[in-house]
């Protein structure tokens, strides 16, 4: 599955950067952007269990929809040295 193609098709505003990377528990999707000196962002961890249970394609689409919703509603502010707020999708 080409996750980057799904990200590109999700229609995020140009000023918002969406990246993904692997962790031991699964794949992390991060959205971030900067408004002047203010940095904003959020992460969603999609666990391997969730991808196996519900399917990679549907779960990636769900994560991207949630990132888009949070982007539209307003992302949390990131303070210097602070980690991204993280949501987690797990299998049942």
């Amino acid at each position: 599955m080409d996750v980057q193609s799904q990200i590109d098709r999700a229609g995020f505003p140009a000023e918002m950067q969406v990246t993904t990377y692997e962790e031991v528990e699964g794949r992390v999707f991060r959205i971030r952007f900067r408004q002047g000196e203010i940095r904003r962002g959020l992460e969603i961890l999609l666990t391997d269990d969730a991808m196996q249970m519900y399917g990679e394609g549907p779960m990636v689409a769900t994560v991207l929809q949630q990132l888009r919703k949070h982007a539209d509603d307003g992302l949390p502010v990131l303070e210097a040295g602070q980690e991204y707020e993280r949501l987690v999708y797990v299998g049942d």
Side-chain angles (χ1 to χ4, degrees), residues 54-65:
Y54 303 111
E56 184 178 12
M59 286 308 299
V60 168
T62 298
V63 167
L64 294 176
Q65 287 172 353

Side-chain angles (χ1 to χ4, degrees), residues 7-19:
I7 292 170
D8 294 343
R9 288 192 306 260
F12 290 97
E15 68 273 8
M16 294 188 178
Q17 182 181 17
V18 179
T19 57

Side-chain angles (χ1 to χ4, degrees), residues 1-2 6 20 22 27-28 35 37-38 45 49 52 61 63-64 69 71 74 76-77 80 86-88:
M1 162 174 284
D2 185 5
Q6 282 188 275
T20 182
E22 297 291 324
R27 179 177 288 167
V28 176
Q35 291 175 303
E37 294 300 313
I38 299 173
L45 169 61
D49 289 343
Q52 290 173 359
V63 167
L64 294 176
K69 179 185 181 311
V77 174
R86 180 178 280 187
L87 306 174
V88 180

Side-chain angles (χ1 to χ4, degrees), residues 80-91:
Q82 177 185 5
E83 293 185 15
Y84 286 83
E85 182 178 321
R86 180 178 280 187
L87 306 174
V88 180
Y89 280 95
V90 298

